[in-house]
């Protein structure tokens, strides 16, 4: 087994041991108006089925010099956003909404989050994805405004 595969395997073990169940809901987006490409003229349609993975949720580190503080200075994330760490092989293409603490069968979700634009960062080693860090923002109304 190569070092990068072993590292990815160890990270997966830590995530599954200490993580929480996370539901990923994927969407496709369309611009309904002909020739209208404004940010607020967007419709999201759920695509495919939800997937359930294990992930670790951590708070933003606002300490000066940290990567999170740099993104806060740019206005890309807020102090009350969160970071979600998942395995590097998890599909995040088309991901717009994340539910933390939601078992696949039954119970309602405990918290609904939206993925911050550009908030999925993959950390590879020698071409193998080790983990992904997703910046997520709590949805106060439980859904995205553009959901159709």
């Amino acid at each position: 087994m190569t070092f990068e595969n072993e590292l990815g395997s160890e990270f997966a073990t830590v995530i599954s041991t200490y993580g929480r169940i996370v539901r990923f809901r994927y969407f496709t987006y369309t611009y309904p108006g002909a020739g209208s490409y404004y940010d607020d003229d967007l419709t999201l349609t759920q695509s495919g089925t939800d997937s359930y993975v294990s992930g670790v949720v951590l708070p933003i580190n606002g300490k000066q010099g940290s990567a999170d503080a740099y993104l806060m200075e740019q206005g890309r994330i807020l102090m009350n956003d969160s970071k979600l760490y998942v395995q590097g092989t998890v599909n995040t293409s088309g991901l717009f909404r994340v539910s933390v603490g939601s078992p696949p069968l039954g119970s309602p979700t405990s918290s609904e989050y939206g993925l911050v634009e550009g908030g999925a960062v993959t950390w590879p080693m020698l071409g193998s994805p080790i983990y992904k860090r997703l910046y997520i923002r709590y949805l106060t109304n439980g859904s995205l405004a553009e959901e159709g």
Side-chain angles (χ1 to χ4, degrees):
M1 178 179 266
T2 62
F3 177 72
E4 63 271 12
N5 289 338
E6 189 173 328
L7 184 61
S9 175
E10 288 294 322
F11 187 81
T13 301
V14 169
I15 290 291
S16 63
T17 302
Y18 299 106
R20 299 176 65 188
I21 294 175
V22 178
R23 180 188 72 200
F24 283 176
R25 182 161 284 171
Y26 303 94
F27 292 88
T28 55
Y29 61 91
T30 56
Y31 296 100
S36 175
Y37 295 99
Y38 295 105
D39 289 345
D40 60 349
D41 192 15
L42 175 72
T43 301
L44 295 175
T45 307
Q46 185 175 350
S47 64
T49 58
D50 296 345
S51 68
Y52 294 86
V53 299
S54 184
V56 175
V57 178
L58 296 173
I60 296 296
N61 177 8
K63 186 175 181 179
Q64 187 175 6
S66 70
D68 296 344
Y70 180 70
L71 292 173
M72 285 175 45
E73 289 171 3
Q74 291 180 335
R76 295 181 62 188
I77 62 173
L78 305 173
M79 187 64 195
N80 54 351
D81 288 345
S82 299
K83 294 183 285 191
L84 172 66
Y85 289 91
V86 295
Q87 293 179 23
T89 56
V90 172
N91 178 21
T92 55
S93 176
L95 178 65
F96 279 92
R97 195 165 84 183
V98 176
S99 301
V100 176
S102 57
L105 302 173
S107 304
T109 62
S110 60
S111 301
E112 291 282 342
Y113 295 86
L115 183 67
V116 174
E117 186 175 344
V121 180
T122 303
W123 292 94
M125 176 175 273
L126 300 173
S128 297
I130 305 299
Y131 68 88
K132 290 185 180 181
R133 180 178 60 205
L134 308 172
Y135 288 100
I136 54 177
R137 184 166 295 149
Y138 181 71
L139 299 174
T140 55
N141 64 352
S143 65
L144 299 165
E146 298 86 4
E147 276 185 64

